Amino acid sequence: MSATTDLQPGRSGPRLSAAVRRGALPWLILAVVYALCVIASADFLTWHTIRLQLIQAAFIGLVAIGETLAILIGHIDLSIPWTITLTGIFATNLYAAHPHEWVAFGAAIGIGVAVGLVNMLGVYVLRVNSLIWTLSINLMLQGLTLIYTNAAAPTTVVPPAAKFLALGMVGEIPMAAVLWAVCAVIVIGALRFTPFGRAVYAIGSNELVALVSGIRLGRVYAAVFITSGVMAALVGLLLSGYSSQAYLGMGDDYLLPPVAAVVIGGSRLAGGEGGYGGSIAGAMTVILLEAMLITLNVSQGEREIVFGAILLALAFLFLGRSRR
Amino acid sequence: MPDAVLRAENLTKRYGGITALEDVSLSLAAGEVLALLGANGAGKSTLVKLLSGNILPDGGSIAIGGEGRHLTSPRMAFEAGVATVHQELSLFGSLTVAQNVLIGREERGRFGHIREDASLRRTEALLAEIGVPDIAADARVGTLSLAQRQLVEIAKAMSFDPRVLILDEPTSALGLTDVHRLLTVVRGLRAKGRAIIFISHRMEEIEDIADSVTILRSGRKVGAFPRHSFTRERALELMLGETQQQLHAVPPPPAPPDSTPPILQVADLRLDGRLNGVSFDLRPGEVLGLAGLEGQGQKDMLFALFGLFRRGLRGDVIIRGQARRASRPLQAIAAGLAFIPDDRKNMGGFMFLPIAHNVTITILNRLRRFLFLDSRQEKAVVSALIRQLAIKCSSADAPLGSLSGGNQQKVIAAKWLAFERDIYLFCDPTRGVDAGARETIYATIRDLAAAGKGIILYSTDMVEFPILCSRVLVFRGGKIAGAVSGAEINEESILALSFRDTGTVAA
Amino acid sequence: MSKMRDRLGEHIGPLCCAIGVIAVVALYAAYQPAILSAFGIASLANASVTLALAALGQTVVLMTGALDLSIGSEISLVNCFAATFMGDGTTSIVLVVIASLLIGVLAGAINGVVVAYGRVAPLIATFCTSFVYAGISLTLRPQPGGSIPDSFANLLTGNWGLLPFSAVLLLLAVLVIWLPVFRSRLGRFILAYGDNPDSAFASGIPVRRVGMAAYMLAGLFAAIAGLFLAAETTSGDPSIGNVYTLNSLAAAVLGGVALTGGRGSMIGPILGAILLSIILNVLSVVGISAFWQDFIEGGILILVLGLAGIRLLRAQSWTSLLGRSQS
């Protein structure tokens, strides 16, 4: 009969209730994880500890902006770790030589835009699978960073603005959290209330339909990957400010956690469903989980197992099922 | 009938809220060819999928050789003795004929390795047995013609030595010579005592081969007769039902006067092998039908106009006097074209997104105030279109996928009504659509024509041409085989043009 | 005529790789004639075999139209396991080898269950499991170390005149695993499933078990690669396999394996792996600093993937271009 039936059995149609549940679920998960943290250590009740976690969560949350967009259009960006490191090292070195804030931030934005464009080139123009392409770009950026640091050792001279954004306080609230909140409002607004947002969901739902509906795919892809690149570059600068130096491997912890944050936040890995609101809860969850595991003296290896397994479980439960 | 090989009783299948098949029973004896007739969406394919183990029934039972069976997978159906040749061919292009025919049942040696030469010989024997020894068993299936693949598919089904063979529209894409050849093969199988379910839209084939005929309409069995009491008129009447009959009463929109300058001119359009020099004009207010057997280039024609072919298109497309041949949909949209596809799931709409977002996807820039979408205006546009097209939905925020096929199609049409274009390309818009939605789509087409739009309608349902079109181009082999207009538009004249040339093979 | 072009198109990948290998080796030999000695050949072979094995594993999965991003982690896992538990005695060696192979198959089986039965998209599933396997390696062996008995190391890395044992290992893997599989129904099913999954289901092929078998085979090849790496480095390193995930993909694509499934050979990926390994090897010998290695490796990957993408871009219609993208 109708063309909407499939040959293979065992598929479910769209579920409304699932979408509703997903709105609240990330925050529920966050509450549970926070409760577990408090059980593990009463320190998690103090504002001091919470503040520290909030700063960490802000870093993850900021890169998760790009990751959320990438995942919403049905792709992924795994070039974040070495975009962070390259930017951190390159921009601070440049700042050491030319001590103007705009030099450092300009360089960071430049790197972010360049990485975004290269990602867009591979994923949109050449139609290489984004996971593979961005992972390869990550490797290339790693090489680029190594080549660069071979000629110039990382510096401890960091732009004060980066330091302020990472460590400063507005009253009792960390500056990083304020920055995160501002960016979050912009992203959520853009996704919900602008043509760009509609186009993002359209492409993630069905790229061919988006094409025949007159959506300019290339522009949306470029906007998404450039945003992701720029956010990663910005976090690279912030992280240098946070540790008062840039160093090799500073972005290594940003491969899986941003993806985990987005997925825990309820966005479908296949694209088209979700949003940034959940990713905020996701970023906090990821950071708290990590902090809890460290408190419990869980080794790095075991932490990786836990994260991989959680992501897998979420993908299995409802988020990353293949559509085919 | 004590000797029924296959007996299905009270089969029912529902998809969501839609009942695809209700209470259908049939029985089939050895050496009998049962023809299954019905319009598009009558439930034939659902019945086939049930009998071949691709889907499970919501009610009813299937017995094969007198034994009740629960067919949970295609494999189970094979083992029970039911082999099916599906409409969408199930062959592997990169494997050879022999590898395809014997997939899973290859001749094996002592170590479990496949004995290629023995498999090849067995396939050759099978091909000879069904009467097609000229297909090479070691040819790659990807290199064969559609007709040859159809025969390979039958050989594959026969390799199971089935008691029941189901052929789901095996002739729909074949030229006359190939149809005759296939029917000869089917006759041979009947003589060997196989029970065969034969599905076709073509009456003459059914008269030629069937021992009994069962007719479905809207998921129900509406008639069954032995061959001697079968007449085309009666069958057509049962297939079409009352709603369809009434449609004939409505005259098509009038043809625009000859003096009107054309809005679209197509000259010698070619696309390697699929379009072989197509030329025609379209005037504002005209509904131009594209007819012919499936796969003769009608769909390619619409795809080409809408910029869905990135390369390889030759010839001229002139819109309002300007050359506007498109290689991207955006160019086509900018030139004033709108496209309503038949494949709703893959090309038509965003199934997971709200209805409202589906409708306004084409007018996002128009709805933008400064940076943001004007949600009040959006709501107004959407609810006006929902009312105009009588779209049945709980709210405009419900996901498109939650609607019935007909309402989905209305939403897809609505997005091009929201963004008004000059030329509307309808690609089989009523495929799998219920009667009510059909009426709405027909009315929409009429309204568009009355508003002076140019409309091209490709349909696989021939009853639509006489009631909607003032002119119909019949395609065959990527060319226009002929045109009929006005009162001459009817199924007979279209079929005559579709079939006049014998021996062409669709590729 | 079209048949000939069809056949040529199928062999163009391996052919180019073979020409590439010869060209690079010739250049290499001109620069450093010692490479054509027994020792030189053995070292080139040793450098290529791990990647060749990984590429074979990747190819099996690619042929089903899926992907395995956990191959590198599986290699690391087996490598760490062997270096941690292998003792000097023959019994210990044999037991650990068997256990290592089983671990590889088990890891593959987990991938298979998640993808074929859990219906999680292959890329995501294996991306997640790669972290689980990497985590296990890291827990097993937080720092590189451990030991491998000399007897085992020599058995795999030595040479017999001009014939390196590593090449024999690869040949054995092909003869004992690859050929039997692809001469049997399983191999036919893998190709058929990759060619057209819906047809495979409709043809009664047990598609889930086939998908699962492909990942198990990939795990088995990864395990052999991990064991060989253990013998070559005589130690375990939890990150030693990382590079093989993407490089195995590059080698397979270079060797003409389609990312869309249904096609692939054994010779193509092996040649692709040899070509890739020798190029990387040459770079260090020619005196390009190690700092350039990652950059060039990434560059080659992007080039290969980009070329594969361009091949896809020849699609005539937008429907086939956008319909074909994975993930």
Side-chain angles (χ1 to χ4, degrees):
Chain A
M1 51 141 269
S2 76
T4 54
T5 55
D6 296 312
L7 262 180
Q8 293 188 24
R11 292 171 204 203
S12 57
R15 281 183 300 175
L16 242 187
S17 61
V20 175
R21 248 187 326 171
R22 268 180 228 174
L25 195 63
W27 297 97
L28 208 71
I29 295 176
L30 175 61
V32 170
V33 171
Y34 181 65
L36 289 175
C37 283
V38 171
I39 293 169
S41 159
D43 283 351
F44 282 100
L45 287 170
T46 66
W47 178 240
H48 176 73
T49 309
I50 294 175
R51 207 169 58 196
L52 280 179
Q53 303 306 329
L54 204 55
I55 296 175
Q56 297 290 339
F59 295 151
I60 294 284
L62 285 171
V63 294
I65 289 176
E67 197 68 81
T68 303
L69 293 178
I71 285 177
L72 281 179
I73 62 168
H75 291 281
I76 202 164
D77 185 357
L78 297 179
S79 64
I80 290 171
W82 285 92
T83 307
I84 289 178
T85 308
L86 176 64
T87 312
I89 292 176
F90 184 75
T92 50
N93 267 338
L94 210 60
Y95 176 76
H98 311 276
H100 305 288
E101 300 278 359
W102 62 266
V103 171
F105 282 86
I109 291 171
I111 292 174
V113 171
V115 171
L117 281 176
V118 172
N119 281 335
M120 178 265 193
L121 173 82
V123 177
Y124 175 68
V125 180
L126 298 175
R127 305 213 68 81
V128 180
N129 185 291
S130 56
L131 208 155
I132 302 167
W133 180 269
T134 56
L135 213 49
S136 310
I137 294 294
N138 194 43
L139 183 64
M140 258 192 113
L141 291 172
Q142 177 182 354
L144 213 58
T145 314
L146 290 176
I147 294 166
Y148 178 73
T149 48
N150 189 32
T155 170
T156 50
V157 184
V158 173
K163 223 168 205 165
F164 174 67
L165 285 174
L167 292 169
M169 299 286 285
V170 182
E172 274 298 291
I173 313 228
M175 190 56 211
V178 174
L179 178 68
W180 184 20
V182 171
C183 291
V185 169
I186 295 174
V187 177
I188 293 174
L191 281 175
R192 286 220 182 138
F193 304 117
T194 68
F196 167 74
R198 290 290 172 81
V200 164
Y201 285 103
I203 292 174
S205 298
N206 187 330
E207 198 168 3
L208 186 57
V209 179
L211 178 85
V212 300
S213 303
I215 298 288
R216 292 176 190 274
L217 302 180
R219 288 188 193 177
V220 180
Y221 268 89
V224 165
F225 280 106
I226 287 175
T227 305
S228 188
V230 169
M231 292 318 289
L234 199 65
V235 168
L237 258 188
L238 295 194
L239 276 177
S240 330
Y242 185 74
S243 353
S244 292
Q245 61 169 338
Y247 53 95
L248 281 177
M250 65 194 275
D252 284 0
D253 287 337
Y254 289 80
L255 182 63
L256 194 54
V259 180
V262 176
V263 173
I264 292 172
S267 294
R268 238 167 78 101
L269 274 169
E273 272 182 77
Y276 187 68
S279 303
I280 297 174
M284 293 185 187
T285 307
V286 166
I287 287 302
L288 283 179
L289 259 178
E290 220 156 71
M292 178 175 74
L293 294 176
I294 290 172
T295 311
L296 294 174
N297 262 330
V298 171
S299 74
Q300 197 204 331
E302 285 159 340
R303 290 209 302 275
E304 277 192 21
I305 301 175
V306 169
F307 272 101
I310 287 178
L311 202 56
L312 192 61
L314 286 170
F316 172 73
L317 281 177
F318 52 177
L319 302 166
R321 302 293 192 98
S322 56
R323 255 184 215 175
R324 311 184 5 153
Chain B
M1 256 183 279
D3 56 341
V5 174
L6 172 77
R7 189 187 291 275
E9 278 176 14
N10 308 99
L11 287 177
T12 300
K13 179 71 190 174
R14 290 181 205 93
Y15 291 103
I18 308 165
T19 303
L21 205 65
E22 196 171 358
D23 244 359
V24 171
S25 305
L26 53 84
S27 83
L28 191 58
E32 178 186 351
V33 175
L34 181 144
L36 210 52
L37 260 175
N40 288 324
K44 292 170 305 194
S45 295
T46 307
L47 182 56
V48 169
K49 283 180 186 167
L50 286 173
L51 294 176
S52 61
N54 275 298
I55 52 177
L56 282 171
D58 294 318
S61 63
I62 298 169
I64 294 153
E67 198 182 325
R69 293 283 190 161
H70 199 57
L71 303 175
T72 53
S73 73
R75 196 190 181 87
M76 208 138 172
F78 293 144
E79 280 158 12
V82 181
T84 307
V85 176
H86 286 283
Q87 208 173 338
E88 53 287 307
L89 297 185
S90 68
L91 296 177
F92 308 102
S94 57
L95 301 186
T96 66
V97 171
Q99 289 170 349
N100 265 288
V101 165
L102 295 181
I103 187 92
R105 286 152 296 112
E106 296 86 357
E107 295 286 344
R108 288 195 292 185
R110 217 177 335 153
F111 309 106
H113 61 281
I114 296 172
R115 288 169 53 217
E116 300 285 357
D117 51 336
S119 298
L120 215 59
R121 279 197 300 277
R122 200 170 124 204
T123 306
E124 277 161 359
L126 259 167
L127 289 168
E129 192 192 331
I130 66 165
V132 285
D134 53 311
I135 294 176
D138 62 349
R140 216 169 268 271
V141 163
T143 65
L144 298 182
S145 76
L146 202 57
Q148 286 172 318
R149 283 188 225 184
Q150 194 68 258
L151 293 167
V152 170
E153 189 83 51
I154 292 177
K156 180 177 166 184
M158 290 313 297
S159 72
F160 288 97
D161 195 21
R163 284 186 277 185
V164 182
L165 179 67
I166 304 175
L167 302 172
D168 189 0
E169 294 196 33
T171 57
S172 63
L174 303 189
L176 271 191
T177 335
D178 290 310
V179 169
H180 285 312
R181 187 164 183 205
L182 193 133
L183 292 182
T184 310
V185 169
V186 172
R187 258 182 236 113
L189 295 174
R190 171 171 62 190
K192 290 185 177 121
R194 316 285 181 179
I196 295 164
I197 296 180
F198 187 88
I199 299 173
S200 173
H201 281 306
R202 298 185 187 165
M203 297 288 191
E204 55 281 1
E205 290 169 19
I206 286 166
E207 286 172 343
D208 191 352
I209 196 113
D211 299 310
S212 66
V213 181
T214 293
I215 296 172
L216 298 179
R217 186 179 76 229
S218 322
R220 290 164 192 271
K221 182 168 162 183
V222 291
F225 7 19
R227 177 198 210 144
H228 55 81
S229 58
F230 171 83
T231 65
R232 287 191 190 198
E233 292 69 30
R234 178 87 188 108
L236 209 60
E237 213 177 284
L238 285 168
M239 273 165 65
L240 296 177
E242 281 140 28
T243 50
Q244 303 273 340
Q245 293 282 300
Q246 281 169 2
L247 288 174
H248 288 282
V250 188
D258 287 344
S259 57
T260 331
I263 190 171
L264 168 74
Q265 292 162 285
V266 174
D268 198 30
L269 206 63
R270 290 170 188 276
L271 181 77
D272 40 60
R274 301 207 262 180
L275 293 173
N276 302 312
V278 178
S279 308
F280 64 86
D281 287 354
L282 176 74
R283 287 192 295 267
E286 182 180 24
V287 183
L288 179 65
L290 303 187
L293 301 175
E294 273 184 65
Q296 300 298 312
Q298 306 95 313
K299 215 165 155 174
D300 294 321
M301 184 67 231
L302 295 187
F303 275 39
L305 285 176
F306 199 64
L308 281 164
F309 290 110
R310 306 168 66 235
R311 324 177 292 116
L313 200 60
R314 305 270 172 280
D316 296 316
V317 175
I318 295 159
I319 296 172
R320 293 190 190 287
Q322 282 182 312
R324 304 300 290 260
R325 198 180 70 204
S327 60
R328 277 184 296 149
L330 255 171
Q331 296 169 340
I333 295 166
L337 292 165
F339 176 62
I340 291 93
D342 57 343
D343 186 350
R344 289 187 286 277
K345 194 169 115 193
N346 294 313
M347 280 186 84
F350 309 104
M351 292 299 161
F352 293 86
L353 294 187
I355 294 163
H357 294 197
N358 270 286
V359 172
T360 54
I361 190 75
T362 49
I363 51 167
L364 291 175
N365 279 330
R366 197 179 287 175
L367 289 175
R368 199 182 59 194
R369 294 283 167 272
F370 179 49
L371 283 174
F372 301 104
L373 291 166
D374 182 340
S375 64
R376 198 170 335 143
Q377 200 193 338
E378 178 176 26
K379 261 190 202 118
V381 170
V382 172
S383 56
L385 281 165
I386 287 181
R387 227 173 309 121
Q388 184 189 335
L389 293 174
I391 295 168
K392 266 180 250 159
C393 57
S394 52
S395 95
D397 295 326
L400 179 64
S402 67
L403 301 187
S404 71
N407 283 302
Q408 285 177 12
Q409 190 65 290
K410 290 191 218 168
V411 172
I412 293 160
K415 85 178 176 196
W416 289 112
L417 297 182
F419 192 39
E420 214 174 295
R421 303 282 77 193
D422 300 332
I423 300 166
Y424 283 77
L425 311 175
F426 284 91
C427 183
D428 212 1
T430 54
R431 171 166 276 191
V433 158
D434 58 282
R438 272 169 189 257
E439 286 297 334
T440 313
I441 290 165
Y442 297 156
T444 306
I445 291 175
R446 287 165 196 279
D447 291 347
L448 286 169
K453 309 293 182 190
I455 291 155
I456 304 182
L457 168 70
Y458 159 59
S459 177
T460 48
D461 192 349
M462 274 188 288
V463 302
E464 291 178 353
F465 296 120
I467 59 166
L468 288 172
C469 302
S470 49
R471 194 154 59 100
V472 173
L473 307 176
V474 182
F475 275 66
R476 193 176 57 226
K479 282 188 201 161
I480 296 175
V484 281
S485 54
E488 288 155 32
I489 302 175
N490 54 47
E491 292 188 33
E492 287 71 35
S493 61
I494 292 169
L495 273 179
L497 282 170
S498 309
F499 280 113
R500 192 164 49 185
D501 185 10
T502 55
T504 46
V505 180
Chain C
M1 184 62 210
S2 74
K3 196 168 173 180
M4 225 175 80
R5 231 167 70 192
D6 189 44
R7 298 274 149 140
L8 187 70
E10 211 172 304
H11 298 299
I12 199 93
L15 211 67
C16 288
C17 284
I19 294 169
V21 169
I22 293 168
V24 175
V25 169
L27 276 174
Y28 201 166
Y31 192 84
Q32 197 165 45
I35 197 62
L36 292 178
S37 69
F39 176 77
I41 290 176
S43 70
L44 273 191
N46 288 353
S48 314
V49 161
T50 315
L51 184 55
L53 287 165
L56 285 178
Q58 188 69 267
T59 300
V60 180
V61 179
L62 282 176
M63 283 197 279
T64 66
L67 253 160
D68 191 349
L69 289 178
S70 71
I71 282 197
S73 300
E74 289 172 345
I75 291 176
S76 300
L77 177 58
V78 168
N79 173 260
C80 289
F81 173 79
T84 307
F85 293 104
M86 196 179 280
D88 285 327
T90 313
T91 338
S92 162
I93 293 178
V94 170
L95 282 178
V96 168
V97 165
I98 291 173
S100 296
L101 298 180
L102 285 178
I103 287 174
V105 173
L106 181 71
I110 292 173
N111 287 337
V113 167
V114 175
V115 172
Y117 290 90
R119 297 186 60 79
V120 179
L123 273 171
I124 301 301
T126 54
F127 182 62
C128 294
T129 55
S130 78
F131 281 89
V132 175
Y133 304 151
I136 298 174
S137 324
L138 207 57
T139 311
L140 214 58
R141 190 142 280 299
Q143 302 295 327
S147 67
I148 290 292
D150 287 344
S151 53
F152 181 69
N154 292 337
L155 180 71
L156 293 187
T157 57
N159 56 304
W160 193 23
L162 281 178
L163 183 70
F165 291 158
S166 54
V168 177
L169 176 73
L170 181 62
L171 191 70
L172 271 175
V174 166
L175 286 178
V176 176
I177 305 170
W178 186 279
L179 287 182
V181 166
F182 283 91
R183 291 273 159 91
S184 75
R185 266 182 202 169
L186 175 60
R188 186 64 44 80
F189 287 175
I190 286 175
L191 283 168
Y193 179 60
D195 184 294
N196 189 340
D198 286 336
S199 298
F201 180 71
S203 301
I205 291 175
V207 287
R208 293 180 169 180
R209 271 185 279 158
V210 169
M212 182 136 172
Y215 278 106
M216 288 165 78
L217 282 168
L220 182 58
F221 278 112
I224 301 172
L227 279 173
F228 179 75
L229 266 184
E232 200 190 358
T233 61
T234 65
S235 73
D237 178 346
S239 63
I240 197 166
N242 290 356
V243 296
Y244 294 104
T245 297
L246 287 177
N247 282 351
S248 66
L249 197 67
V253 172
L254 260 180
V257 181
L259 286 172
T260 44
R263 287 197 171 197
S265 65
M266 154 266 297
I267 200 75
I270 292 179
L271 285 171
I274 294 173
L275 179 61
L276 217 58
S277 311
I278 296 182
I279 289 176
L280 294 175
N281 203 285
V282 166
L283 290 176
S284 58
V285 172
V286 174
I288 289 173
S289 97
F291 296 105
W292 282 84
Q293 286 272 334
D294 285 326
F295 184 70
I296 289 169
E297 233 175 292
I300 292 175
L301 258 166
I302 285 166
L303 215 67
V304 170
L305 294 172
L307 284 177
I310 286 171
R311 205 161 21 161
L312 203 121
L313 285 184
R314 291 199 313 230
Q316 189 173 41
S317 71
W318 285 100
T319 46
S320 57
L321 183 72
L322 297 192
R324 213 182 290 174
S325 71
Q326 311 171 349
S327 99

